[in-house]
Amino acid sequence: MTRINEDDFDVVTAAMVVIGDEILSGRTRDTNAGHLASIMTAIGIDLREVRFVSDDQDAIIEAVNQLRERNTYVFTSGGIGPTHDDITADAISAAFGLPCDHDTQALKILGEHYKARGIEFTDARKRMARMPEGAHHIDNPISKAPGFVIGNVHVMAGVPSIFQAMLDNVVHTLRTGRKLLSKSVLSDFGEGTIGAPLGDVQKNHPDTIIGSYPRYEDGSFSTELVVRSANEPAIDKALDDIKIMLSELQNTQT
Amino acid sequence: MTRINEDDFDVVTAAMVVIGDEILSGRTRDTNAGHLASIMTAIGIDLREVRFVSDDQDAIIEAVNQLRERNTYVFTSGGIGPTHDDITADAISAAFGLPCDHDTQALKILGEHYKARGIEFTDARKRMARMPEGAHHIDNPISKAPGFVIGNVHVMAGVPSIFQAMLDNVVHTLRTGRKLLSKSVLSDFGEGTIGAPLGDVQKNHPDTIIGSYPRYEDGSFSTELVVRSANEPAIDKALDDIKIMLSELQNTQT
């Protein structure tokens, strides 16, 4: 896909690290990446890369350090629960070279939460209050154990309902880019038919990003053609040329 | 999650690169990674990492080259169709430093396919026959345009039904590791309750991998405890200790 010249935009980028052996084993299907992708697009942030890594400290550190260097924001999901395989807080602390300790405020929130429910505040549960020194909380309205932000890295839960609630709580803190608008048209032609002429339309409209997304249903292909740009008139001009292209193809085939 | 000493196993590893702007924008939800994860687990291959990257040659090259160096196999999905944004064949060729040309046999297969259907074999469709010099085909029973294998990298389609069919066609060619067996038990306790004692069970059974997977439904947490090992008696011993642990917790709470 052709990229719009980034000089024309206030480009804000993001990357995600999905943490958990259960994702890589196929036991659990990740849905957080798709959710984050939709939210980032909606607020004008360009999600550049997603990595699924195992519950392995070196793997988490490598992914987080590579991605936080080259993106405005990094989001992680998973590994912040109370069991021995929840090592995200330690790994993120190590990635930043910071000590990982029990956070006083998080201990207080969790202590009150369990007390109100008549549940013992075990050492395992206290693990959920650990975070890198200097981190800020991300509120968790569902099960209270907070996520945290350190530098440009947002550490959130893997349980989808909690991940989504935490993301809702950080979205307003993010710097957002200029929003890409998009319009689309559905074509009965497969990509094989429209590929070459669509490439020509893209060349004639360099200020737009034209994508084609094939569908295969009931034994035949169709294609959705999507035009993106921050500039709505530019989208409309490209879309006009696509419609002309499609009607010419229609005439050729009939 | 504690890892079993790899010296005890014939460890075969895999990584995946999911290619496509439509995945990172949230327009399309990836399902191929989860499918690959399940198949790899079933045949005893350890899926170590998955990366979603955009339709950008540098991003594809970086991911493929990092992952093929350190894994037995790499699988890619997406970007092998006939349009201008399908750049996977070029990017993979560049990653290997090989020319990317029309493959004679692929041109023949596609030519016959389109001829039989009375469809013009356009230049765009011919793009789907391009692959790195020396690559082997992966048959595509659905729409004929083949995937390909070069080195340890398997390049497959993004459309899920075609990805799955191609994967079925390569699975028999893969070296597989010793299979991890698994057994699980469901617990009414949340992770906060079982975290510490489960960590003790893990310490006492180093030849197993014990994972806990929290569920949050209807306002309460439950946890699935999974024990994995290549050695079934080892699984059963760990599972016995987990059941003792759960019944002790039950007695404590009642």
Side-chain angles (χ1 to χ4, degrees), chain A residues 1 3 21-22 25 27 29 38 41 50 52 54 62 70 84-85 122 125 192-193 210 213 224, chain B residues 1 3 21-22 25 27 29 38 41 50-52 54 62 70 84-85 122 125 192-193 210 213 224:
Chain A
M1 186 175 289
R3 296 207 166 279
D21 289 10
E22 71 278 20
S25 73
R27 178 165 205 94
R29 298 289 164 112
S38 297
T41 298
V50 176
F52 296 0
S54 64
E62 184 198 71
R70 61 191 191 199
H84 62 279
D85 55 355
T122 58
R125 293 196 172 99
T193 305
I210 303 178
Y213 305 108
E224 186 174 18
Chain B
M1 186 176 288
R3 298 208 166 278
D21 288 10
E22 72 277 21
S25 74
R27 178 166 204 92
R29 298 289 164 114
S38 297
T41 298
V50 175
R51 296 192 189 178
F52 296 1
S54 64
E62 184 197 72
R70 61 190 190 200
H84 63 278
D85 56 354
T122 58
R125 293 195 174 100
T193 305
I210 303 177
Y213 305 108
E224 186 173 18

Side-chain angles (χ1 to χ4, degrees), chain A residues 4 9 21 36 49 54 83 87 100 110 114 120 166 175 189 194 216 240 250-251:
Chain A
I4 291 183
F9 289 81
D21 289 10
L36 181 72
E49 187 171 349
S54 64
T83 62
I87 63 166
C100 184
L110 284 167
Y114 289 117
E120 190 188 349
M166 287 183 170
R175 187 164 66 85
F189 299 111
I194 57 169
Y216 180 75
D240 286 345
Q250 199 74 51
N251 293 336

Side-chain angles (χ1 to χ4, degrees), chain A residues 79-87 124-125 127-128, chain B residues 190-192 194-196 198-199 210-214 223 225:
Chain A
I80 63 168
T83 62
H84 62 279
D85 55 355
D86 290 305
I87 63 166
R125 293 196 172 99
R127 273 176 63 78
M128 294 188 285
Chain B
E191 285 199 304
I194 56 169
L198 190 68
I210 303 177
S212 67
Y213 305 108
T223 310
L225 306 174

Side-chain angles (χ1 to χ4, degrees), chain B residues 97-108:
Chain B
L98 291 169
C100 184
D101 287 322
H102 289 92
D103 177 89
T104 312
Q105 182 63 16
L107 279 177
K108 186 160 174 280

Side-chain angles (χ1 to χ4, degrees), chain A:
Chain A
M1 186 175 289
T2 306
R3 296 207 166 279
I4 291 183
N5 184 346
E6 295 193 347
D7 296 341
D8 298 344
F9 289 81
D10 176 20
V11 178
V12 182
T13 70
M16 180 179 191
V17 184
V18 176
I19 298 164
D21 289 10
E22 71 278 20
I23 306 288
L24 288 168
S25 73
R27 178 165 205 94
T28 303
R29 298 289 164 112
D30 170 71
T31 59
N32 294 327
H35 179 74
L36 181 72
S38 297
I39 299 289
M40 292 296 103
T41 298
I43 64 175
I45 292 178
D46 188 5
L47 182 64
R48 287 276 168 93
E49 187 171 349
V50 176
R51 297 192 189 178
F52 296 0
V53 301
S54 64
D55 296 318
D56 177 85
Q57 178 150 325
D58 293 341
I60 298 169
I61 291 172
E62 184 198 71
V64 166
N65 279 345
Q66 280 189 9
L67 296 174
R68 73 188 174 97
E69 278 289 316
R70 61 191 191 199
N71 289 283
T72 319
Y73 300 112
V74 172
F75 300 88
T76 77
S77 66
I80 63 168
T83 62
H84 62 279
D85 55 355
D86 290 305
I87 63 166
T88 298
D90 291 283
I92 300 290
S93 301
F96 280 85
L98 290 169
C100 184
D101 287 322
H102 289 92
D103 177 89
T104 311
Q105 181 63 16
L107 279 176
K108 186 161 175 277
I109 292 167
L110 284 167
E112 286 169 2
H113 171 65
Y114 289 117
K115 191 175 179 187
R117 293 168 71 202
I119 294 173
E120 190 188 349
F121 192 25
T122 58
D123 283 347
R125 293 196 172 99
K126 285 178 185 163
R127 273 176 63 78
M128 294 188 285
R130 296 171 74 248
M131 56 186 72
E133 197 175 277
H136 296 280
H137 291 195
I138 300 173
D139 283 348
N140 169 356
I142 295 175
S143 56
K144 298 301 171 190
F148 58 84
V149 186
I150 182 79
N152 61 344
V153 179
H154 297 69
V155 175
M156 307 197 284
V159 173
S161 58
I162 305 177
F163 178 85
Q164 291 168 25
M166 287 183 170
L167 186 58
D168 289 344
N169 281 336
V170 300
V171 158
H172 72 279
T173 69
L174 305 175
R175 187 164 66 85
T176 55
R178 196 165 161 197
K179 275 173 214 173
L180 279 188
L181 308 171
S182 78
K183 295 189 183 182
S184 67
V185 59
L186 201 61
S187 155
D188 290 336
F189 299 111
E191 284 199 307
T193 305
I194 57 169
L198 190 68
D200 291 338
V201 175
Q202 173 71 82
K203 271 181 214 150
N204 293 334
H205 296 273
D207 49 349
T208 66
I209 297 169
I210 303 178
S212 68
Y213 305 108
R215 300 174 181 190
Y216 180 75
E217 281 165 336
D218 303 328
S220 70
F221 284 96
S222 63
T223 310
E224 186 174 18
L225 306 175
V226 182
V227 184
R228 293 193 185 84
S229 174
N231 175 355
E232 191 170 2
I235 292 180
D236 291 334
K237 280 182 199 162
L239 215 52
D240 286 345
D241 278 0
I242 288 174
K243 286 175 188 162
I244 291 169
M245 173 196 97
L246 292 174
S247 85
E248 282 173 356
L249 285 171
Q250 199 74 51
N251 293 336
T252 313
Q253 310 242 325
T254 50

Side-chain angles (χ1 to χ4, degrees), chain B residues 230-248:
Chain B
N231 175 355
E232 191 170 3
I235 292 179
D236 291 334
K237 281 183 197 160
L239 216 51
D240 285 347
D241 277 2
I242 288 174
K243 286 173 187 164
I244 291 168
M245 172 196 99
L246 292 175
S247 86
E248 282 173 355

